[in-house]
Amino acid sequence: MGFSAQEMRFTMYYPEGSSAGQGPSRDGATPEKIRTVLGELRFPAPPEERPYLYGCMVLSFDGKMGFPDDPEGTLISKENRFDPVGAKTDFWIMQVCRTYADGVILGAGTLRARMHKMWCSEIADPDLIQVRPALGRTGEAPLALIPSVDGMDIPVEHAIFTRSEQPVILTSVQGAERLQSRLNRPSRVLSGPTDLRKGLEEVQIIAVGEQEPNTAGLLHFLRACGLEYVSVEAPGYLWHLISKGLLDEYMLNYSGVMAGGMTALGVNAGFTVKQHPHAEILSVGYHRGFLYTRQKLHYGW
């Protein structure tokens, strides 16, 4: 699949006062191809206690992540037959999010929905791979990070575990024990922060929290390992981070299809009238059948 900037480009609108083009001074300028399609894209400096977290996902126009007969999230974009260029652009924006990231959080549910398809953190556009060093990122792709509630929800037979570079698992102490008993490949529970890229030949497990994963502790561990920016592609974990006031922003695209059903964010964990997060539009653009937005999350309102 080729990614032509001239084909994918669209006009980006910035509301008055938007900080969408601002970012840490140590970053270089927005790479030319990214600027051509998306305009200026910078992220704020990460906090000291955790990586800067931004979500990346696509929803149908009625707010669904998947179709009732097939919950695989990519189909919401791919099956937009009215606007195939818009669908390609949506996929490319996910590659851009990976380009800026040290790690990508992939969902165990996504892996289960794609049992017979490879799903990892690779970047599909060679042009984006080439600009990672200029953005301060190492390696050709971000690290694959998979959260686990209990060590039992990860499909250990998935193809991601057949790759030469293994994923990093985020879970609890008990979750790590259960997961290691199920894995048929080398794994190691990390005793402290380390350079994760040096141990990718085996499954590295970060365990914080005895019975349940300690989200803040896991994120602090990742930051101590040198991860500054993490893209979150796992819908359930994205909502989990929002519920804890930890997701900083998201690149949220809308595909002009109607899906219906119950495959939506937060179906079983809603907020209240008195207290709920708010989203500030930083930028918005469109193709014929897609909307592309960048939104900053605000908590405590």
Side-chain angles (χ1 to χ4, degrees):
M1 179 188 295
F3 299 98
S4 166
Q6 295 304 319
E7 179 186 38
M8 297 185 295
R9 68 182 303 174
F10 53 86
T11 301
M12 185 70 80
Y13 298 92
Y14 303 93
E16 185 176 355
S18 170
S19 59
Q22 298 179 9
S25 59
R26 66 178 178 276
D27 279 1
T30 301
E32 181 179 355
K33 186 172 186 177
I34 295 174
R35 189 188 313 111
T36 299
V37 181
L38 298 176
E40 290 295 333
L41 180 61
R42 297 278 194 93
F43 291 106
E48 294 183 1
E49 71 278 6
R50 62 170 176 81
Y52 189 85
L53 303 168
Y54 54 92
C56 179
M57 69 179 306
V58 60
L59 300 176
S60 65
F61 265 19
D62 58 334
K64 301 303 187 294
M65 301 182 298
F67 292 97
D69 62 332
D70 191 332
E72 184 179 324
T74 58
L75 297 178
I76 289 294
S77 180
K78 289 168 60 176
E79 292 301 317
N80 186 326
R81 300 157 197 160
F82 177 73
D83 189 0
V85 173
K88 178 191 290 187
T89 306
D90 166 71
F91 179 74
W92 186 78
I93 290 174
M94 182 178 71
Q95 308 308 307
V96 171
C97 288
R98 292 181 173 190
T99 300
Y100 279 78
D102 298 299
V104 174
I105 292 182
L106 308 173
T110 302
L111 297 182
R112 291 194 299 271
R114 299 175 62 94
M115 282 302 300
H116 304 295
K117 300 177 183 179
M118 177 58 75
W119 189 253
C120 54
S121 59
E122 290 182 342
I123 297 172
D125 185 348
D127 294 337
L128 296 181
I129 295 174
Q130 291 181 7
V131 302
R132 276 177 60 80
L135 294 170
R137 311 281 71 86
T138 59
E140 292 191 351
L143 297 166
L145 311 172
I146 306 176
S148 174
V149 174
D150 56 8
M152 301 298 293
D153 50 356
I154 293 180
V156 296
E157 65 276 18
H158 191 276
I160 194 172
F161 291 102
T162 65
R163 303 178 72 247
S164 59
E165 294 188 352
Q166 295 289 302
V168 178
I169 310 299
L170 312 176
T171 188
S172 65
V173 173
Q174 291 188 8
E177 294 173 353
R178 296 189 190 100
L179 179 62
Q180 285 190 299
S181 70
R182 300 173 58 231
L183 284 169
N184 58 358
R185 52 188 40 80
S187 63
R188 176 168 60 99
V189 178
L190 300 180
S191 58
T194 185
D195 183 349
L196 296 172
R197 288 193 177 274
K198 293 183 177 180
L200 295 179
E201 71 281 354
E202 58 184 353
V203 178
Q204 298 172 98
I205 304 174
I206 300 175
V208 183
E210 185 61 34
Q211 297 182 2
E212 298 181 355
N214 182 319
T215 303
L218 289 168
L219 295 175
H220 183 75
F221 197 109
L222 289 176
R223 187 70 173 87
C225 289
L227 279 70
E228 296 183 320
Y229 297 93
V230 171
S231 180
V232 185
E233 297 178 9
Y237 205 72
L238 186 149
W239 192 257
H240 170 71
L241 291 172
I242 293 176
S243 70
K244 291 185 172 296
L246 292 171
L247 190 74
D248 296 294
E249 62 173 90
Y250 45 50
M251 306 283 277
L252 184 56
N253 299 335
Y254 298 90
S255 172
V257 299
M258 300 296 172
M262 296 295 290
T263 309
L265 288 170
V267 170
N268 299 312
F271 293 101
T272 66
V273 172
K274 291 186 176 181
Q275 189 170 5
H276 47 268
H278 292 71
E280 173 192 359
I281 303 294
L282 297 182
S283 64
V284 61
Y286 64 91
H287 275 298
R288 292 193 308 156
F290 278 82
L291 287 174
Y292 309 102
T293 75
R294 181 181 177 188
Q295 304 179 34
K296 180 177 178 56
L297 277 298
H298 295 277
Y299 304 96
W301 286 63

